[in-house]
Amino acid sequence: MSLHPATDCIVIIPTYNECENASAIIDAVMNLPHPMHVLIVDDGSPDGTADIVRRKQEEYPGAVHLMERSGKLGLGTAYIAGFKWSIAHGYDFIFEMDADFSHNPNDLMALYEACAVGGADLSIGSRYVSGVNVVNWPMGRVLMSYFASMYVRIVTGMPVRDTTAGFVCYRRCVLEHLCLDKVRFKGYAFQIEMKFTAYMHKFKIKEVPIIFVNRVLGESKMSSGIFSEAVFGVIRLKVYSWFYKYTDYSVAD
């Protein structure tokens, strides 16, 4: 058993009751052509997800990391904790990804190349940049997601077609310049807030087309309340932006 190669990339995967997917998603990331490490942020899963991750840590020493939290504290806070950990440990490209294979781990390479080669500060795995690329979702949920993103784009003026996407690569400099302790939202509105704040700071954003596939194993964490937070929260974001002076980081790094 050898140490996994050192890398400039880490994939943050929040989990809650993902025992069916945890092992396979870690294996998929470990087998990518560009070495990537994984940070699982587990919110006290009662199904043994953390125990599975600990076994994967033995299989991939130095490459799989586990942050255990006491309960369901929200998606946004999981990512903020993961961002801070990843910055402290010196990773240059920091990814968000779901545990349930709705995001294809192979697409991590396209997000990485958009930043490392294409010069983007933030790359987004987008369901809507080239049509509607969603598989196995009920039509009502597809429409709710699509029109929510359209609504956010209209209200904020942000030229991003998939504003609620949770499949993202950040350059470390973006997360260092954003004030993570002031991020207000905990649910899927967190995704909008992060993108909007990066946009207002004039970081370069690129959308990469992906195909989003609804989970096969485990239970969905999505609800209409999550989308309500996103829809109403965006108004607060826009109003706040009228009174806040954003630094132009387009030439900072």
Side-chain angles (χ1 to χ4, degrees):
M1 183 168 57
S2 60
L3 285 172
H4 201 70
T7 181
D8 53 357
C9 297
I10 190 158
V11 183
I12 303 171
I13 305 177
T15 56
Y16 183 77
N17 285 349
E18 293 288 356
C19 65
E20 296 109 327
N21 294 305
S23 179
I25 198 73
I26 290 171
D27 287 339
V29 176
M30 291 297 103
N31 288 317
L32 291 173
H34 183 85
M36 295 192 181
H37 289 179
V38 172
L39 171 62
I40 302 292
V41 182
D42 186 68
D43 273 6
S45 298
D47 69 347
T49 296
D51 292 330
I52 294 170
V53 176
R54 277 188 281 271
R55 291 196 289 272
K56 302 310 285 187
Q57 287 182 295
E58 296 176 0
E59 185 176 346
Y60 304 107
V64 177
H65 307 279
L66 174 63
M67 179 185 297
E68 294 184 82
R69 307 200 301 169
S70 58
K72 295 184 73 174
L73 302 176
L75 180 75
T77 66
Y79 275 126
I80 294 296
F83 291 157
K84 291 180 177 179
W85 188 96
S86 301
I87 291 168
H89 287 79
Y91 292 95
D92 293 324
F93 300 94
I94 301 169
F95 298 79
E96 300 179 3
M97 188 173 74
D98 290 348
D100 60 8
F101 285 93
S102 55
H103 303 139
N104 185 339
N106 291 326
D107 289 333
L108 288 165
M109 293 302 303
L111 296 184
Y112 171 69
E113 289 171 6
C115 290
V117 180
D121 298 309
L122 164 59
S123 60
I124 301 167
S126 177
R127 296 163 290 185
Y128 307 129
V129 74
S130 59
V132 178
N133 294 318
V134 177
V135 177
N136 293 336
W137 258 10
M139 182 54 66
R141 186 170 168 186
V142 173
L143 292 173
M144 183 168 59
S145 173
Y146 180 81
F147 285 110
S149 278
M150 180 182 294
Y151 166 81
V152 173
R153 192 166 69 251
I154 292 169
V155 171
T156 64
M158 179 171 51
V160 174
R161 299 194 69 83
D162 195 350
T163 54
T164 61
F167 194 28
V168 181
C169 174
Y170 292 93
R171 284 184 177 270
R172 181 175 62 188
C173 64
V174 177
L175 298 176
E176 287 175 331
H177 287 310
L178 302 187
C179 188
L180 297 177
D181 289 329
K182 291 186 178 179
V183 175
R184 292 180 290 279
F185 295 111
K186 293 183 178 181
Y188 274 71
F190 160 82
Q191 302 289 4
I192 300 169
E193 182 175 3
M194 291 292 293
K195 296 177 185 69
F196 179 66
T197 306
Y199 166 71
M200 292 301 291
H201 282 299
K202 299 192 183 300
F203 284 110
K204 182 179 178 182
I205 301 174
K206 181 176 181 180
E207 288 188 89
V208 176
I210 64 161
I211 296 175
F212 181 95
V213 180
N214 194 30
R215 69 161 60 234
V216 175
L217 299 173
E219 296 184 0
S220 174
K221 316 301 189 296
M222 185 63 67
S223 69
S224 59
I226 286 173
F227 273 107
S228 295
E229 180 200 37
V231 170
F232 292 108
V234 72
I235 298 174
R236 291 170 56 193
L237 284 176
K238 183 62 176 179
V239 171
Y240 175 79
S241 73
W242 295 337
F243 303 98
Y244 183 83
K245 181 174 176 58
Y246 294 88
T247 303
D248 183 348
Y249 289 120
S250 61
V251 294
D253 292 277

